[in-house]
Amino acid sequence: MSKSNASQRIPRAKGIDMAAVYSPKECGRKARHLILPEFNQRIVDEFIAILGMREEFEEHHVPIPNRVVMYGPPGTGKTLTAFYMANILELPLVLVRLDAIIHSHLGETGSNIRKIFDYANTFPCVLFLDEFDAIARTRDSNDEVKEMARAVNTLLQCLDDFGDKSIIMAATNLEKDLDPAIWRRFDTKMTYSLPDYNRRQHYMEVLLGDFQCDEAAWTEACDQLEGCSFAEIEQIVLKAKRKAIIERQPLQGKHIQDACDEYKPDVATT
């Protein structure tokens, strides 16, 4: 975690910092295994290209996009995309701690949201809100306590006032729960899905590197891990590699099978 002067000024709530700050170098290490589908890679590449042509876009009075919302199943690369963007743009990433922001006292949640946005506006950065639905949930709900509805109103105001020197990225697994007005505040939308066979194969190549692996085990694993997220594949492959190392053998199908049996990936959606 960055020890920069910026991180020392992070607003606090409940006795803890409301965010963690990561340097671009730290972000690069975290995002080193990211594999984006072609469609999302095009969006990211264009987004970064536009930011590098700021003066030309300003000359033509075309707004610079700086608000990205990402949605899809857990473990499919949303968080890593935020780290990747911060690394490529050479900006610190401000990862918001929602457990610190959300407060039971009337008005405190909205106040905390405003404080973290004010902080992110003091220096160029990537402000990242994971599990975004926790503070952006639709105001049409029948919740007895209307505190979160007031918090959404504050969030909308903060999004409207957010400058163009920083980037805001938000991620959710529950996109249908977001307030409709929240969607209209984001100029870039990215959807994520579970990896298909080719992306599973590519990801295993990245994870295995030069680790010895039986060819039959490779093909078997790509089929066996159907329905798994990138995060689940990583944990299973790492567990299988540990088993192979213990036995001083190349990675084999039995290692993948045993790792799956132990990890028990949630593939109910397939």
Side-chain angles (χ1 to χ4, degrees):
M1 191 177 301
S2 173
K3 301 297 183 182
S4 65
N5 292 333
S7 67
Q8 295 174 7
R9 300 192 298 271
I10 297 172
R12 294 172 64 84
K14 302 179 183 179
I16 57 176
D17 289 343
M18 286 197 282
V21 180
Y22 295 87
S23 70
K25 186 176 181 179
E26 290 170 319
C27 291
R29 287 197 295 267
K30 286 184 174 291
R32 67 187 185 278
H33 289 161
L34 175 66
I35 295 177
L36 287 171
E38 183 179 352
F39 182 74
N40 281 354
Q41 187 65 59
R42 287 203 306 269
I43 292 175
V44 168
D45 291 344
E46 181 180 277
F47 190 90
I48 293 171
I50 291 172
L51 293 177
M53 302 170 63
R54 180 179 294 273
E55 292 183 1
E56 294 179 55
F57 278 85
E58 290 176 349
E59 180 183 343
H60 293 284
H61 306 290
V62 176
I64 299 293
N66 69 332
R67 304 171 189 179
V68 183
V69 62
M70 303 171 286
Y71 54 97
T76 50
K78 299 184 294 297
T79 297
L80 290 184
T81 301
F83 281 101
Y84 174 76
M85 291 277 279
N87 174 248
I88 293 296
L89 296 172
E90 297 184 343
L91 293 174
L93 181 134
V94 178
L95 175 60
V96 177
R97 295 190 56 174
L98 294 180
D99 61 329
I101 282 185
I102 298 174
H103 205 289
S104 59
H105 291 171
L106 188 65
E108 280 296 313
T109 299
S111 176
N112 289 339
I113 290 172
R114 189 172 297 282
K115 287 177 182 176
I116 203 67
F117 271 81
D118 288 345
Y119 169 74
N121 273 318
T122 61
F123 62 100
C125 66
V126 174
L127 177 64
F128 179 47
L129 298 130
D130 202 1
E131 299 181 11
F132 190 46
D133 48 278
I135 58 171
R137 193 175 295 271
T138 178
R139 290 165 293 178
D140 294 335
S141 63
N142 295 319
D143 296 339
E144 295 181 5
V145 180
K146 296 300 181 182
E147 167 69 357
M148 291 313 298
R150 286 185 286 269
V152 171
N153 289 333
T154 299
L155 176 61
L156 290 168
Q157 294 170 5
C158 289
L159 288 169
D160 288 339
D161 296 338
F162 196 67
D164 65 356
K165 302 303 181 185
S166 293
I167 312 297
I168 180 167
M169 301 187 72
T172 180
N173 306 329
L174 304 171
E175 66 274 13
K176 293 182 180 178
D177 290 348
L178 297 188
D179 192 276
I182 291 291
W183 284 106
R184 295 194 294 271
R185 264 62 176 191
F186 286 85
D187 47 53
T188 305
K189 301 177 177 68
M190 298 174 65
T191 181
Y192 290 72
S193 60
L194 296 173
D196 58 16
Y197 182 90
N198 289 335
R199 286 198 291 153
R200 290 197 302 274
Q201 185 179 54
H202 185 189
Y203 194 50
M204 286 192 63
E205 289 176 357
V206 172
L207 293 175
L208 288 172
D210 58 1
F211 197 90
Q212 282 191 304
C213 178
D214 287 351
E215 186 173 347
W218 177 278
T219 304
E220 181 182 336
C222 290
D223 289 330
Q224 191 171 357
L225 297 177
E226 182 180 2
C228 291
S229 68
F230 285 117
E232 290 170 327
I233 292 171
E234 180 176 18
Q235 291 303 317
I236 290 169
V237 170
L238 289 176
K239 187 180 284 289
K241 286 171 72 173
R242 294 187 191 107
K243 294 180 181 299
I245 291 170
I246 290 172
E247 297 178 5
R248 293 186 172 88
Q249 294 181 347
L251 189 73
Q252 299 177 10
K254 66 174 183 178
H255 298 135
I256 296 289
Q257 181 61 61
D258 290 346
C260 283
D261 292 342
E262 293 176 13
Y263 189 74
K264 296 179 175 62
D266 181 11
V267 294
T269 57
T270 63

